[in-house]
Structure formats: C-alpha cells, structure tokens
Amino acid sequence: MLTKELLTPYSLGHLGLVGAYIQEAGIIEKIDSRLPQASSTSGHLTHGQVVALMILNVLGDTTRPLYMAHNFFEAKDVAAMLGIEFQSAWLNDDVIDRTMDDLYNYGLTRLLSQISSDILQDLGCKAESVGVDSISFHYQGSGQKSTDDGCQEEGETDAYCFEPHKISVICGSKPDADPELDQIMEQMVIDKATGIPLFMELENGTSGDRKASGRMEQVFKNFRKQSGDGYAYLSGDPALYSEENIVSMEEAGIRFITRVAPCKSKSTKKFIEDHRDDELEPIDDVNQGKIYKVEDCGVQQIWLLVQSNATKKRSFFIVATNDLQREWQPQELLSLCQSHDNVERGFRFLKFPDFRADPVFVSQSERVQTMFVLMSLGLAVFSALDWKLRHAMKERKVKLKNQVG
C-alpha cells in the first residue's frame, strides 16, 4: 500500500513538454554522435545528456542566473522528462565544465548549425527565408577588457570558421543600460518561418553600433557557406532597404526579400501615388495587391504593392525582392516577408528579464562563447516545440482562450 511517505512529488510544469520534445527530436543522440566520449570519468552522463539538462535549465530556471544549476534538478523528475537515469550529484561543476570545453573544441557555430538544421528537417521545414540581427548581452565576469572594438576590416579572415576564436569584452553603448557596461554582441541567423536559430557569430562589445549592413551581409554569406543552401533569402524590416544595401547585396549575389516603407524615397512615394486601385487583386482576407517589375537603386526588382485593410484606414506598403527568376505569387511573397515577427520574438526570448540569459557570469572566453550556444540551443528547442504545438492546433482547429475568454 502506498503511503504519503513513499511518494515524492515533482513539479514538471512546461518542462515536461520540453523534455518530451528533446526525446522525440533525438537531441541527446544527435550531440553524442558528434561528441561520443562520456562527460565524466565515471561515465554517468554523456555530453548529449548534459546539454539536454542544460537546455532544461535554460528554459526552466527563472529565478537564478543561468549556469547556477547545482540544485535545480533536485526537485525535477529527470527520468520522466528525458528518459535517462539521473542523480543530481552527477551534474557537478566538473562535468558541466568538461562538456562545455568539448563543445567549444568541436566548434560552437558548427554544432548549433548542425543541430538546428536537423531539427528543421525533422519538422519537415526548409529555411527559405532567414533574418539576420544582432543582440547585446551584459557581461559580469572578470575577463580581460579592451578599449578597441576589434572589428574586422575588409580582407580579414571570416569569423565563421569552425576553429575556436577569442572575443574581447569591452565597454560600449547599450540602449537599455549604462553605456559603460561590459557587453558582448551576438549576430544570429534565424529561420523566419519557425524562429529556429540556424547560425551565430559572437563579436566584441561595440561592434553592433557600426557597419551594421556590411556585417549582416557577411554573416549571411557565412551562413550560406556552412549550410550549403544558396537559395535562402535574406529578409528584414524596412531598415534593410537602402540604396547602399540593395546595391551591395545585388553585387554579392544575395537574394533579399524586404518590406519597403511608403515614405522611404521619392520613387516609392510616386510608385504608390501612380497605382490604380482597379489593378489590385485580393491576396487574403485583409490585403489586396499586385506584382510589378521595376528598377530602383539601379537594380532590377520585383515589387509587390500591398493595400492593407486591417484597420479602418487603408494603408500601403511594398514588398521588394531581387529574385527575378521565380514565378512569384502575391500570397507567397507576402508570407515570406511577414514572418519577421519570429525573428524579433527569438531575441525578445533571449532578453526577457525572467529568462536571466542577459547577464553572463562565466569569465573564460571559451565558457562565455559556449554559454551563448547553450542559450541558442534552448531557443531552438523552444521555437521548434512552439511551431509543433501551433501547427497541431491549426490542423485540429483548436484554439486557446485568452484572458478575456
């Protein structure tokens, strides 16, 4: 007979879903196939199991800084969540540090890209349109500081290579904090349809304030080299559309899809003013539009003029691409542009105060960089699980009530 004394209560919360997806996606096996050695001399935990535990910690510990996971799993049923044998004493600092060091030596960008590509393939999705953006993190370690931003100049070695590299932690401007805070910049390529991070590069603290468009193009080119997919589109918000960016991307052979603000230039204003309403055809329930071939900034482009009736006052905007070979349909072009919210949501996820990923507490450059990959893997799992849930609800026509009911 079971008594109260024989029962041990555990609170899984949302981590039950996270653990189930980690098992379903085979995250542990994917990492162990690349880093097969055990994470400790006693062999209790493999590298894949340690990474899975750290992902649970990333997505579940909202009250303490990331990496302080010593007591986090004492009240968690890890066997139920991950299907592995586990004792909290096995996950000590030495085990975590050894896994982080081996991840770093394997190649952090390469590991993230491989695991994320596997996840995307398992979902039956393809990275057709990606967004590139940067994010800054507050650094609270005691590493070396520098007053130089260490930005790469033209002709220097690309940072995407698989070999480990050092980053400098420096004082620089940050919109939401003290300008003298030590910080690190992360450039990330995110699949716009699912929000899964596919590629990342770390940069020195103030590099996010200069040469933004040039770095975005270089990061995108590095992503294409590593992914081997030359048909992904670089997509962004209206800030991406400028004469300098358009000409540069065209010369580099980069296919772009971006929204163009109506007041961006005289040419866009005139284009909208000269259109005829009777030419526009329904795209969806709230939008009408038509595709045109135009030349702007000296580059031949496809423009989709969209009239939105989402509000009482109708508004216009333009979706532009330099891919002239594809037989575009208005709905197709609009959908590839509209999914930028997934990119922004990914960055909000990493910067959300309760997530506690914003402060970085480890001091060694190698460990700092590895922490970013662990956070990015957590975002990949979160985004994939979110996509699966939303997709399943849509198929079954299930809706969740909001606070209003």
Side-chain angles (χ1 to χ4, degrees):
M1 178 179 177
L2 290 176
T3 63
K4 183 177 180 180
E5 289 73 18
L6 296 176
L7 297 176
T8 302
Y10 293 105
S11 176
L12 298 184
H14 65 284
L15 293 183
L17 288 173
V18 175
Y21 177 74
I22 289 175
Q23 291 190 66
E24 178 185 294
I27 303 295
I28 294 175
E29 292 76 14
K30 294 181 191 305
I31 294 174
D32 285 339
S33 66
R34 295 172 171 91
L35 289 83
Q37 61 269 39
S39 180
S40 65
T41 54
S42 58
H44 289 306
L45 297 172
T46 67
H47 288 313
Q49 291 170 346
V50 173
V51 171
L53 290 166
M54 292 300 290
I55 290 174
L56 289 176
N57 181 221
V58 163
L59 297 177
D61 195 349
T62 61
T63 59
R64 288 169 296 191
L66 190 63
Y67 189 70
M68 295 185 178
H70 308 290
N71 302 319
F72 176 71
F73 292 101
E74 290 184 356
K76 300 291 185 295
D77 190 349
V78 174
M81 290 188 290
L82 296 179
I84 64 174
E85 185 180 356
F86 177 78
Q87 296 180 19
S88 59
W90 295 350
L91 190 67
N92 53 48
D93 288 350
D94 291 337
V95 172
I96 294 175
D97 291 346
R98 192 173 292 109
T99 291
M100 293 179 74
D101 291 341
D102 286 346
L103 291 175
Y104 180 84
N105 292 331
Y106 177 82
L108 300 175
T109 296
R110 176 170 62 169
L111 181 69
L112 175 65
S113 296
Q114 291 174 345
I115 300 300
S116 295
S117 296
D118 288 347
I119 291 175
L120 203 63
Q121 185 176 1
D122 293 342
L123 293 177
C125 301
K126 184 178 183 295
E128 189 172 22
S129 177
V130 300
V132 182
D133 212 336
S134 61
I135 184 172
S136 62
F137 289 84
H138 175 200
Y139 179 81
Q140 293 186 226
S142 57
Q144 296 292 325
K145 297 181 182 178
S146 170
T147 56
D148 180 27
D149 65 4
C151 290
Q152 286 185 314
E153 300 295 338
E154 294 183 5
E156 290 191 0
T157 303
D158 292 344
Y160 87 99
C161 60
F162 299 157
E163 295 301 321
H165 60 282
K166 297 287 186 179
I167 58 172
S168 300
V169 179
I170 65 177
C171 296
S173 61
K174 184 179 178 184
D176 57 350
D178 190 317
E180 295 302 315
L181 278 177
D182 299 335
Q183 60 179 316
I184 305 164
M185 299 298 300
E186 179 181 17
Q187 293 276 356
M188 186 180 291
V189 177
I190 296 181
D191 173 53
K192 295 189 69 173
T194 62
I196 294 174
L198 302 173
F199 185 87
M200 61 160 280
E201 287 182 359
L202 295 180
E203 298 179 347
N204 297 329
T206 59
S207 59
D209 301 328
R210 297 188 293 175
K211 304 180 182 179
S213 62
R215 281 197 319 281
M216 179 183 293
E217 292 175 20
Q218 186 59 55
V219 170
F220 181 72
K221 285 190 278 188
N222 293 344
F223 158 70
R224 289 200 305 181
K225 290 177 184 178
Q226 183 154 318
S227 66
D229 186 352
Y231 207 77
Y233 294 96
L234 174 59
S235 183
D237 56 25
L240 179 63
Y241 195 92
S242 68
E243 182 172 356
E244 179 183 359
N245 290 350
I246 296 303
V247 172
S248 178
M249 288 187 289
E250 178 69 14
E251 292 176 348
I254 294 176
R255 298 181 179 92
F256 65 80
I257 297 177
T258 184
R259 184 165 169 165
V260 186
C263 57
K264 189 70 175 181
S265 65
K266 291 181 179 179
S267 61
T268 56
K269 290 180 183 178
K270 187 175 187 305
F271 180 80
I272 293 176
E273 291 172 355
D274 291 347
H275 89 280
R276 290 169 42 191
D277 285 349
D278 59 357
E279 293 181 338
L280 305 182
E281 299 178 353
I283 300 177
D284 51 36
D285 294 338
V286 295
N287 296 306
Q288 294 177 301
K290 180 176 174 59
I291 288 179
Y292 302 85
K293 286 188 177 181
V294 303
E295 180 178 338
D296 193 47
C297 304
V299 176
Q300 294 289 331
Q301 303 176 43
I302 296 292
W303 278 12
L304 170 63
L305 176 63
V306 180
Q307 174 187 306
S308 176
N309 301 311
T311 60
K312 293 182 179 180
K313 183 180 180 181
R314 70 175 186 171
S315 59
F316 292 90
F317 62 89
I318 297 169
V319 179
T321 178
N322 61 344
D323 185 357
L324 307 180
Q325 304 302 316
R326 187 164 175 172
E327 295 293 332
W328 288 104
Q329 297 298 320
Q331 175 60 39
E332 181 184 30
L333 186 53
L334 181 60
S335 65
L336 287 175
C337 179
Q338 283 182 328
S339 53
H340 190 68
D341 287 346
N342 282 335
V343 179
E344 297 297 332
R345 185 184 63 180
F347 283 96
R348 289 197 301 269
F349 172 85
L350 290 175
K351 296 288 286 186
F352 186 63
D354 284 348
F355 178 56
R356 301 304 297 275
D358 189 7
V360 178
F361 291 85
V362 291
S363 60
Q364 295 183 21
S365 175
E366 295 83 355
R367 303 279 171 79
V368 170
Q369 295 179 63
T370 307
M371 287 304 304
F372 279 89
V373 168
L374 290 171
M375 291 188 290
S376 299
L377 285 173
L379 173 58
V381 169
F382 171 85
S383 299
L385 179 58
D386 179 77
W387 186 91
K388 282 181 67 69
L389 290 173
R390 292 178 184 274
H391 190 69
M393 290 173 61
K394 185 177 181 180
E395 283 186 339
R396 293 165 175 77
K397 298 181 180 180
V398 175
K399 294 183 179 181
L400 295 178
K401 294 183 178 180
N402 57 20
Q403 291 88 340
V404 179

